[in-house]
Amino acid sequence: MSIKRPTPPPTPGAAALFTPKLISALREGYSLALLRADAIAGLTVAIVALPLAMAIAIASGATPDRGLVTAVVAGFLISALGGSRFQIGGPTAAFIVVVFDVIQRHGYEGMLVATLLAGLMLIVVGALRLGTYIKYIPYPVVTGFTAGIAVSIFASQLKEALGLDEALPPEFLAKLAAVASRLGSASPAAIIVTVGSVALILTLRKLKPHWPGFLIAVLIASLGVAVFGIDVATVGSRFGDVPRGLPMPSLPVFDFALVQRVFPDAITIALLAGIESLLSAVVADGMTGRKHRSNGELVAQGIANIASVCFAGLPATGAIARTATNIRAGARTPVAGILHAVFLLVFMLAAAPVLAYVPLAALAAILIIVAINISEARHIRHILGTAGNGDRFVLVSTFLLTVLVDLTVAIQFGVVAAAVLFVHRMAEAVEIETHEKLIEEDAPDAPHAPRAASAAGIVTYRIDGPFFFGAAQRLSSVLDRIGETPRGFVLDMTTVPFIDASGGAALTSFLDRARADGVTVRVVGARPAVAEAVRKLAAEVGLPIVFGAQAAP
């Protein structure tokens, strides 16, 4: 009796995969009530994003207006063209370490070229429908480098939080040593502003969670500095007045040597943007029950990053916290994200002179809270407490490499280490069982005593799992334990989904040995693709094989 396999669902076409969610939402009908809900949500997110975008830009080694420009331009396009109904895009804290490092090594122009290349990469990855594969980056790797980024962000804010005048070295350990040696020159006023802002944000989060704690803390700190004349560094004293509106668009100057130098950084930016945007979209799906279009989202992220470069902005991606705020504020369609960008532009036009009074210590307090939020402390405790030693090693090594070496190296090492760990686990999961058919013969010293199959017996090998390079050595080990040559072999391959090149090499050696010894081989239960692979391998060594549909007993 044959079992009819269910027909797989048809593969979605390009229109279904890449149509922006904005168009899908508008096709469903858009009413005044929906506009009102989206406008309230967009205004709420804009209030949260205003101080955050400035803080992220300053921490990244840029001017505060670069963060606002990114939030306006990239935020608009991510919502208008993206594959998620609720995604809010803009500069995020995850980019701080990467962008700061690129600017330090290649200048701001190098960062723009790297971001443009990253945008092109995201478009290509999305267009080739490879976005689904980003989700296969192992959880310990994501947790490790996210926690490492959080620690790096916290360390990067010590200068402004303590009011130190001198620049700190970029390396983590050297930075901590420099801070420790300069504690005597710390500014009490800056420390008061930092501690007071952190305390206010945490208090509002507990007592009034729906209030915009970041903006309230910045406003109170700015008023305190202006009214009482507190001597701390401000946006205006460090960077001058914040420009009103957007600059004229232009492309960076391309230099082939510069492209070569920043290409590895572009890969890091693209990978980080892809991971964070899709994670944010998944979070939004979980909160709303909707489903995002991952490849369309990546294409939109790529376009948004290229547009951000045209306005001399920063790398952008989906922001998990702002996306969650958007949903909680009642957003219904991508119009909320578009309006969030419009409101930010209005703030730039109307309130740019006021932004110059914002103390840098208050912005440092915001990023300290952000670092705490993304530290993944709960997930780290879970992995260290319940996972195996391999996952713990991947987590800790990725974390340490992120903090002490480089994010690119950390991701590369983490993915490779996790892949090796996975291969090892898969190889351990593959079972190769040996079953010998017993032949009863009269023996002078033990009448009717059964003995193991020898030259007249049949040996059955049952292979459970994919026969790939990780499991090939196990078959070789089993073959090495064969004593007397049996009359025949039966290979039960009922549960073998595929055979790769290494598994095929091990199987070829097995078949060649069987041919040389004159042993018959029967293959049972093999799927069509597996049976065809075995048939070709047998033909190479000149061994005829009998195939059977039924599995061995």
Side-chain angles (χ1 to χ4, degrees), residues 193 196-197 200-201 204 211-228 230 357-359 362:
V193 172
S197 298
L200 179 58
I201 292 170
L204 289 175
W211 288 18
F214 288 167
L215 185 62
I216 292 174
V218 167
L219 288 175
I220 292 177
S222 302
L223 286 173
V225 169
V227 172
F228 298 104
I230 302 176
Y357 294 97
V358 174

Side-chain angles (χ1 to χ4, degrees), residues 473-548:
Q473 184 60 36
R474 304 196 70 181
L475 177 60
S476 300
S477 299
V478 170
L479 294 177
D480 291 339
R481 294 197 295 268
I482 295 178
E484 298 179 76
T485 303
R487 186 181 66 191
F489 287 118
V490 176
L491 295 182
D492 182 354
M493 309 187 82
T494 305
T495 59
V496 177
F498 67 87
I499 301 175
D500 78 347
S502 299
L507 194 56
T508 299
S509 299
F510 167 78
L511 297 175
D512 190 48
R513 179 172 176 176
R515 180 195 59 77
D517 293 338
V519 178
T520 62
V521 176
R522 178 182 176 88
V523 176
V524 297
R527 303 181 184 187
V530 173
E532 181 62 24
V534 175
R535 185 178 288 107
K536 290 180 179 179
L537 295 173
E540 290 180 6
V541 300
L543 176 69
I545 289 185
V546 178
F547 288 90

Side-chain angles (χ1 to χ4, degrees), residues 165 191 292 320 392 395 413 434 466:
D165 293 330
I191 295 175
H292 73 281
I320 297 176
R392 293 171 184 163
L395 169 67
F413 178 86
T434 306

Side-chain angles (χ1 to χ4, degrees), residues 197-500:
S197 298
V198 169
L200 179 58
I201 292 170
L202 294 178
T203 301
L204 289 175
R205 180 168 294 179
K206 183 177 181 180
L207 300 179
K208 299 291 183 181
H210 297 294
W211 288 18
F214 288 167
L215 185 62
I216 292 174
V218 167
L219 288 175
I220 292 177
S222 302
L223 286 173
V225 169
V227 172
F228 298 104
I230 302 176
D231 184 20
V232 294
T234 64
V235 169
S237 66
R238 180 74 59 82
F239 303 103
D241 292 335
V242 176
R244 294 192 179 203
L246 302 177
M248 292 298 295
S250 63
L251 284 173
V253 178
F254 270 85
D255 175 75
F256 184 70
L258 179 60
V259 170
Q260 286 184 306
R261 291 197 301 271
V262 303
F263 193 79
D265 301 298
I267 295 175
T268 302
I269 293 173
L271 184 60
L272 197 55
I275 292 172
E276 189 166 6
S277 65
L278 295 186
L279 282 176
S280 180
V282 168
V283 170
D285 290 348
M287 295 177 66
T288 63
R290 295 281 186 170
K291 185 175 178 59
H292 73 281
R293 297 166 183 155
S294 57
N295 294 297
E297 181 65 25
L298 291 181
V299 171
Q301 296 285 340
I303 295 173
N305 274 278
I306 293 173
S308 179
V309 168
C310 292
F311 289 90
L314 301 170
T317 185
I320 297 176
R322 275 164 273 173
T323 298
T325 300
N326 186 43
I327 295 170
R328 294 191 190 103
R332 305 291 293 278
T333 74
V335 174
I338 293 174
L339 291 177
H340 129 270
V342 173
F343 284 128
L344 279 175
L345 180 58
V346 172
F347 293 158
M348 287 185 67
L349 294 172
V354 179
L355 298 178
Y357 294 97
V358 174
L360 299 182
L363 296 180
I366 290 176
L367 290 182
I368 288 174
I369 297 296
V370 170
I372 295 173
N373 290 343
I374 68 173
S375 63
E376 303 280 6
R378 178 170 60 88
H379 301 293
I380 291 175
R381 288 195 299 268
H382 173 74
I383 294 175
L384 294 180
T386 63
N389 290 331
D391 288 324
R392 293 171 184 163
F393 170 75
V394 171
L395 169 67
V396 174
S397 58
T398 304
F399 170 79
L400 292 177
L401 288 171
T402 301
V403 175
L404 302 177
V405 183
D406 177 73
L407 181 62
T408 305
V409 175
I411 294 177
Q412 292 171 347
F413 178 86
V415 170
V416 171
V420 172
L421 177 63
F422 172 76
V423 169
H424 173 70
R425 288 172 174 169
M426 286 295 295
E428 291 295 312
V430 176
E431 296 290 341
I432 301 178
E433 301 177 2
T434 306
H435 302 275
E436 296 180 350
K437 184 177 180 181
L438 299 180
I439 308 297
E440 292 197 4
E441 290 184 354
D442 289 337
D445 55 342
H448 306 291
R451 67 180 178 84
S454 58
I458 302 296
V459 177
T460 297
Y461 292 108
R462 178 175 287 114
I463 305 174
D464 292 329
F467 196 40
F468 71 121
F469 65 93
Q473 184 60 36
R474 304 196 70 181
L475 177 60
S476 300
S477 299
V478 170
L479 294 177
D480 291 339
R481 294 197 295 268
I482 295 178
E484 298 179 76
T485 303
R487 186 181 66 191
F489 287 118
V490 176
L491 295 182
D492 182 354
M493 309 187 82
T494 305
T495 59
V496 177
F498 67 87
I499 301 175
D500 78 347

Side-chain angles (χ1 to χ4, degrees), residues 87-106:
Q87 186 84 280
I88 298 295
T92 66
F95 279 120
I96 289 176
V97 178
V98 177
V99 174
F100 182 87
D101 182 56
V102 175
I103 293 176
Q104 291 295 308
R105 290 187 289 112
H106 305 295

